[in-house]
Amino acid sequence: MASMQDIADKAGVSRVTVSRVLSNHPSVKAETRKKVLYWVKKLDYEPNLIAQSLAGNSTNLIGLLVPEIAYPFFSEIIEAIENQAFYEGYSVIICNTRRSLEKEKNILKELKQRKVEGVIAVPVSSEHSAAAYQRFQLPAVMITKRMEGFSCVYISHYVGGQQIAKHFLNIGFQRIGYIGPTKDSTSAIKYAGFQNYLAANRVQLIDVIECPAPENMNASMVYQRVKAYAAGPGLRCEAYLANDDITACEAIAAFRDLGYSIPKDIAIAGFDNSLLAREISPKLTALAQPLEEIGRKAVEALLEQMSGNAPPRMYELESRIIARESTINFNSST
Amino acid sequence: MASMQDIADKAGVSRVTVSRVLSNHPSVKAETRKKVLYWVKKLDYEPNLIAQSLAGNSTNLIGLLVPEIAYPFFSEIIEAIENQAFYEGYSVIICNTRRSLEKEKNILKELKQRKVEGVIAVPVSSEHSAAAYQRFQLPAVMITKRMEGFSCVYISHYVGGQQIAKHFLNIGFQRIGYIGPTKDSTSAIKYAGFQNYLAANRVQLIDVIECPAPENMNASMVYQRVKAYAAGPGLRCEAYLANDDITACEAIAAFRDLGYSIPKDIAIAGFDNSLLAREISPKLTALAQPLEEIGRKAVEALLEQMSGNAPPRMYELESRIIARESTINFNSST
DNA sequence: CTGAAAGCGCTAACAC
DNA sequence: GTGTTAGCGCTTTCAG
């Protein structure tokens, strides 16, 4: 590994001059520059980024914290972030918090020691994570959720819930239900938006099948809850909103096993519009979060915060309905 | 940011002593150690990993190169790798080659400058990527494909193809087809295994629907090809093997739109056993690659290569059939 | 236009 | 036990 000193020796100049040439400093005689570059090439010199960083330069590193990697919703955002970061000249260290506040804290500590210039994160908890990020004292951008005091990139889950409700009513559904958590932070908000919009149109939610979010690929809980609910009150709706795409898939599996056909007997909509929504049959109607845009914007917001100390800012992006086969209304009289 | 010098000053010792305390060097008087630790805590000292690295320590960083992040097959492996790496004390820089040899080369160059200690990679091309990794001259472990001259962690796609073939025959299918690329490196191998096993049992492949692998989430090509094929020779089989889970999903969509029901009219099996296989309805029978194990093993193999210069080694892991609803045989006379 | 000197924060070899 | 001296590879004043 040739170092700057090696180049300097060969070229008969000082290390400083080599540094100047490599950083395109104007004040170097063309001839000297050429000589230096000759040896740079010849010795196949490669800068040592670690040394550069230590000497005062930036690390060009950012950290990314997610609660899970292999859930399409997250992995699509991760892909978008990596992509934009690369474009901007940054590398990203990916970290899985696994929804543990403890791990999240440790990760932040380590990232800080590694001198990342900032982090983009899906915080483990809207309430309890704040302190750790506050202590972190480096630029941070939160994604997919709102968290006061930080720059955030997200969609309004309330509006998202409303959009689905509106879509259901437009199609002509009257007996409407919901499947998912009703109390988790963001889920509660989308549930509220959904419910309130319906109520404002004098439609009551009939079935509310409470079940946990399918975290860590452990989704089967949803399937069981739907079946249990069917055995209890029974499935009384023609259309359901599922908390997310995986929940929708699990619900569909349960409906099928109960003998219902989608969307003929029961219509269902998902939330997120991840890969799953696009690939299952029938294709899933879903509220689309702009995943690619969330990733891109997050990087941009982070860079902005890194250069200059811009105050935290909220980026509430637009969500939209993607109507597909899973909510075609076969019962509509029109 | 308190530095070692600050601690040393406060504690009235030299920087070296502080270093010794922090690295648990035995030769430090208990009293001194205590004093130092007191100030470490008081000043909230945090080591500068960049400085440590430069001074000769390791970076504890590894690079991960994948052709795509948001495809469940890859994201599940990524998750497993991050997990194991974290467990071993390493951070991972995630890089998306986007299937470009050029980008792959640039990424390797940068990772080298960042002084990562090794990389785990899904090489862009089995043939053309080798040179770049060779030049890289750092420990590297290839995953999901075999690549001579490097440590590799993968399953035998040939055996995988055979396993599916065997499964089909066991179920009693006679008219069998294949959907996917027949010439791409790994696909060609699995296709060969599939075909040869059938041939050895005197069963000829009837429909071979050639179509590209659904790269970069651009899967609809498969859908179109299946439809086009149906309009041409027609679908003449009772069971198909799809090159991967996404291809299977697209084929299912096409079958449905053509009026076939799965698995009643047509059975289908996927390959990989990613999230998709588990979540779609009907649940997809698939050849399971041990995704979690591939990730874990890759990290272990890399660490082994990093400590000591163990020669490259091949880790051929076991694949297995996961039988689910998509290949239930309704026509079987038994 | 170029070089000498100092330092980024830490570790390691060798003394005392 | 602890400090002194060097040095990791680079950047950044400040002179000349």
Side-chain angles (χ1 to χ4, degrees):
Chain A
M1 276 285 81
S3 75
M4 270 193 175
Q5 189 62 63
D6 300 332
I7 310 287
D9 292 349
K10 291 288 190 182
V13 297
S14 84
R15 219 165 51 203
V16 187
T17 302
V18 178
S19 172
R20 286 205 183 94
V21 170
L22 293 175
S23 52
N24 276 315
H25 200 87
S27 65
V28 177
K29 203 164 40 166
E31 194 191 344
T32 318
R33 154 166 281 121
K34 207 176 130 196
K35 199 164 50 181
V36 169
L37 288 178
Y38 169 78
W39 285 105
V40 163
K41 189 137 282 174
K42 179 112 177 186
L43 299 188
D44 194 25
Y45 168 80
E46 300 216 339
N48 180 330
L49 262 31
I50 297 280
Q52 267 183 236
S53 300
L54 183 58
N57 262 239
S58 46
T59 57
N60 277 242
L61 262 183
I62 64 177
L64 173 56
L65 292 86
V66 291
E68 191 170 343
I69 294 175
Y71 175 34
F73 172 66
F74 291 125
S75 58
E76 287 176 48
I77 293 179
I78 294 169
E79 176 146 6
I81 289 176
E82 191 283 337
N83 195 44
Q84 184 68 15
F86 183 85
Y87 174 75
E88 301 275 11
Y90 285 79
S91 289
V92 1
I93 293 186
I94 189 165
C95 307
N96 188 348
T97 60
R98 305 186 130 219
R99 298 194 164 76
S100 150
L101 284 168
E102 183 67 15
K103 198 164 175 218
E104 181 177 47
K105 214 167 63 185
N106 291 337
I107 289 171
L108 285 176
K109 191 163 156 190
E110 185 179 326
L111 288 176
K112 183 155 193 182
Q113 298 180 171
R114 281 198 187 278
K115 304 297 173 192
V116 299
E117 298 178 36
V119 300
I120 294 175
V122 178
V124 169
S125 152
S126 305
E127 300 88 49
H128 312 303
S129 289
Y133 289 93
Q134 222 95 52
R135 273 209 49 195
F136 185 54
Q137 295 214 320
L138 274 184
V141 171
M142 303 303 165
I143 53 177
T144 75
K145 313 183 179 181
R146 212 186 142 93
M147 197 160 132
E148 299 306 325
F150 295 88
S151 277
C152 303
V153 180
Y154 60 95
I155 62 153
S156 162
H157 285 242
Y158 191 86
V159 172
Q162 290 181 312
Q163 288 176 303
I164 294 273
K166 182 173 176 191
H167 183 67
F168 277 1
L169 295 180
N170 281 346
I171 294 179
F173 293 126
Q174 289 295 322
R175 299 195 318 283
I176 295 174
Y178 172 86
I179 305 172
T182 59
K183 297 179 186 91
D184 284 8
S185 57
T186 54
S187 299
I189 299 172
K190 92 179 67 159
Y191 175 64
F194 185 61
Q195 189 177 35
N196 292 350
Y197 189 94
L198 292 177
N201 287 273
R202 266 153 306 187
V203 172
Q204 282 291 330
L205 265 184
I206 296 176
D207 292 336
V208 174
I209 307 181
E210 174 91 33
C211 54
E215 303 183 343
N216 298 314
M217 312 279 91
N218 180 16
S220 57
M221 209 61 192
V222 177
Y223 177 87
Q224 292 164 32
R225 289 289 167 85
V226 172
K227 278 215 158 169
Y229 192 94
L235 264 21
R236 299 163 298 186
C237 299
E238 49 188 355
Y240 291 88
L241 162 61
N243 178 62
D244 55 81
D245 295 338
I246 289 200
T247 296
C249 286
E250 288 289 326
I252 288 175
F255 292 159
R256 286 252 167 96
D257 290 356
L258 290 165
Y260 297 99
S261 150
I262 318 293
K264 215 165 162 105
D265 304 322
I266 299 181
I268 184 163
F271 204 103
D272 291 345
N273 190 39
S274 60
L275 173 74
L276 278 171
R278 284 170 260 139
E279 292 296 341
I280 66 171
S281 297
K283 294 194 193 308
L284 190 69
T285 290
L287 183 103
Q289 295 209 43
L291 305 179
E292 200 279 331
E293 192 186 355
I294 289 177
R296 185 157 30 81
K297 201 79 191 170
V299 173
E300 281 167 7
L302 183 60
L303 293 190
E304 199 179 302
Q305 215 170 118
M306 276 160 36
S307 65
N309 20 21
R313 212 181 119 183
M314 294 295 171
Y315 297 87
E316 188 167 297
L317 307 183
E318 300 278 317
S319 56
R320 66 186 211 284
I321 290 283
I322 308 281
R324 296 203 184 86
E325 304 158 6
S326 72
T327 52
I328 292 172
N329 188 354
F330 282 86
N331 306 314
S332 168
S333 48
T334 51
Chain B
M1 278 286 78
S3 76
M4 269 193 176
Q5 189 62 63
D6 299 332
I7 310 287
D9 292 349
K10 291 287 190 184
V13 297
S14 85
R15 219 166 53 206
V16 187
T17 303
V18 178
S19 171
R20 286 205 183 95
V21 170
L22 292 175
S23 50
N24 276 316
H25 200 88
S27 65
V28 178
K29 202 164 40 164
E31 195 190 344
T32 317
R33 153 166 281 122
K34 206 175 132 195
K35 198 164 50 180
V36 169
L37 288 177
Y38 169 79
W39 285 106
V40 163
K41 188 137 282 175
K42 178 112 177 187
L43 299 188
D44 195 26
Y45 168 80
E46 301 217 339
N48 181 329
L49 263 31
I50 298 281
Q52 267 183 249
S53 301
L54 184 58
N57 262 239
S58 46
T59 57
N60 277 240
L61 263 182
I62 64 177
L64 173 56
L65 292 87
V66 291
E68 191 171 344
I69 294 175
Y71 174 34
F73 172 66
F74 291 124
S75 58
E76 288 176 48
I77 293 180
I78 294 170
E79 176 146 5
I81 289 176
E82 192 283 337
N83 196 44
Q84 184 68 16
F86 183 85
Y87 175 75
E88 301 276 10
Y90 285 78
S91 289
V92 2
I93 294 186
I94 189 165
C95 306
N96 188 347
T97 59
R98 306 187 130 219
R99 299 194 163 75
S100 150
L101 284 168
E102 183 67 15
K103 201 167 171 215
E104 181 177 48
K105 213 168 62 184
N106 290 337
I107 289 170
L108 285 176
K109 191 163 156 190
E110 186 180 324
L111 288 177
K112 182 155 195 183
Q113 299 181 170
R114 282 198 187 277
K115 304 295 173 195
V116 300
E117 298 178 35
V119 300
I120 293 175
V122 178
V124 170
S125 152
S126 306
E127 300 88 50
H128 312 303
S129 289
Y133 289 93
Q134 222 95 54
R135 272 208 49 196
F136 185 54
Q137 296 213 319
L138 274 184
V141 170
M142 304 302 166
I143 53 177
T144 76
K145 313 183 180 181
R146 212 185 142 94
M147 197 161 130
E148 299 304 326
F150 296 89
S151 276
C152 303
V153 180
Y154 60 95
I155 62 153
S156 162
H157 285 242
Y158 191 85
V159 171
Q162 290 181 313
Q163 288 175 303
I164 294 272
K166 182 173 175 192
H167 183 67
F168 277 1
L169 295 181
N170 280 346
I171 294 179
F173 293 126
Q174 289 295 321
R175 299 195 318 283
I176 295 174
Y178 172 87
I179 304 172
T182 58
K183 295 177 186 96
D184 283 10
S185 56
T186 54
S187 299
I189 299 171
K190 90 179 70 156
Y191 175 63
F194 186 60
Q195 191 178 33
N196 292 349
Y197 189 95
L198 292 176
N201 287 273
R202 265 154 304 183
V203 172
Q204 281 292 329
L205 265 184
I206 296 176
D207 293 336
V208 174
I209 308 181
E210 174 91 34
C211 54
E215 303 184 343
N216 297 313
M217 310 280 89
N218 180 16
S220 57
M221 208 63 191
V222 177
Y223 177 87
Q224 290 163 34
R225 289 290 167 85
V226 172
K227 278 214 158 171
Y229 191 93
L235 264 22
R236 298 163 297 186
C237 299
E238 47 189 355
Y240 291 87
L241 162 62
N243 178 62
D244 55 81
D245 295 338
I246 290 198
T247 296
C249 286
E250 289 289 326
I252 288 175
F255 292 159
R256 286 252 167 95
D257 290 356
L258 289 166
Y260 297 99
S261 150
I262 317 295
K264 216 168 162 115
D265 303 324
I266 298 181
I268 185 163
F271 204 104
D272 291 347
N273 190 39
S274 60
L275 173 74
L276 278 171
R278 283 170 262 141
E279 292 297 341
I280 67 171
S281 297
K283 295 195 193 309
L284 190 68
T285 290
L287 183 103
Q289 296 209 42
L291 304 179
E292 200 279 329
E293 191 186 355
I294 289 177
R296 186 158 29 82
K297 201 80 192 169
V299 173
E300 282 167 6
L302 184 61
L303 293 190
E304 199 179 302
Q305 215 170 120
M306 276 160 35
S307 65
N309 21 21
R313 210 181 120 184
M314 294 296 171
Y315 297 87
E316 188 167 297
L317 308 182
E318 300 279 315
S319 56
R320 67 186 210 283
I321 290 283
I322 307 282
R324 296 204 184 86
E325 302 158 6
S326 73
T327 52
I328 292 173
N329 188 354
F330 282 87
N331 305 314
S332 168
S333 48
T334 51

